């Protein structure tokens, strides 16, 4: 149907409704970009999963360390200092 519509045949010539013709044209325009975006998201999910799989013990150790400062993890912890809300320029913005 799409090739016939692309060649210039009207929906009436093909014996289909205008909405069916519109759906076919829309599908051909949207599907390639949808597939590209889907593959991008799938790749991101796989990356996050791999990072979790490789670092899960570190994440769990860090979580336990937050509640028990005497906990000795298998590997040294990399502690990240996050800025305080007082240091954030956006929170000090006067509306």
């Amino acid at each position: 149907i799409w090739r016939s519509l692309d060649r210039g045949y009207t929906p009436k010539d093909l014996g289909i409704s205008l909405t069916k013709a519109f759906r076919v044209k829309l599908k051909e325009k949207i599907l390639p970009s949808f597939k590209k975006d889907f593959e991008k998201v799938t790749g991101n999910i796989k990356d996050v999963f791999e990072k979790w799989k490789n670092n899960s013990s570190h994440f769990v150790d860090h979580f336990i360390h937050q509640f028990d400062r005497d906990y000795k993890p298998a590997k040294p912890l990399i502690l990240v200092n996050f800025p305080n809300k007082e240091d954030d320029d956006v929170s000090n913005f006067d509306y």
Side-chain angles (χ1 to χ4, degrees):
I1 294 176
W2 176 79
R3 287 190 337 191
S4 298
L5 290 171
D6 195 41
R7 291 179 182 155
Y9 288 99
T10 64
K12 186 177 181 181
D13 294 337
L14 299 173
I16 60 173
S17 67
L18 291 173
T19 56
K20 173 70 175 180
F22 179 74
R23 281 186 289 165
V24 169
K25 287 181 182 179
L26 188 63
K27 180 181 174 185
E28 288 301 317
K29 288 182 181 178
I30 291 178
L31 195 60
S33 65
F34 176 78
K35 284 183 179 179
K36 183 179 75 173
D37 292 342
F38 182 76
E39 289 171 1
K40 186 176 169 183
V41 169
T42 304
N44 289 343
I45 291 172
K46 287 179 182 177
D47 290 343
V48 169
F49 179 72
E50 284 298 317
K51 286 179 184 177
W52 172 258
K53 193 167 75 172
N54 294 335
N55 298 316
S56 61
S57 63
H58 176 74
F59 297 147
V60 171
D61 286 345
H62 192 277
F63 178 79
I64 293 171
H65 180 72
Q66 287 180 344
F67 299 100
D68 183 9
R69 297 293 177 177
D70 296 329
Y71 175 73
K72 302 294 183 207
K75 295 180 182 177
L77 293 177
I78 300 171
L79 301 176
V80 178
N81 293 327
F82 292 102
N84 295 333
K85 287 189 177 184
E86 293 83 29
D87 297 337
D88 188 11
D89 293 335
V90 176
S91 62
N92 293 333
F93 185 73
D94 187 19
Y95 291 96

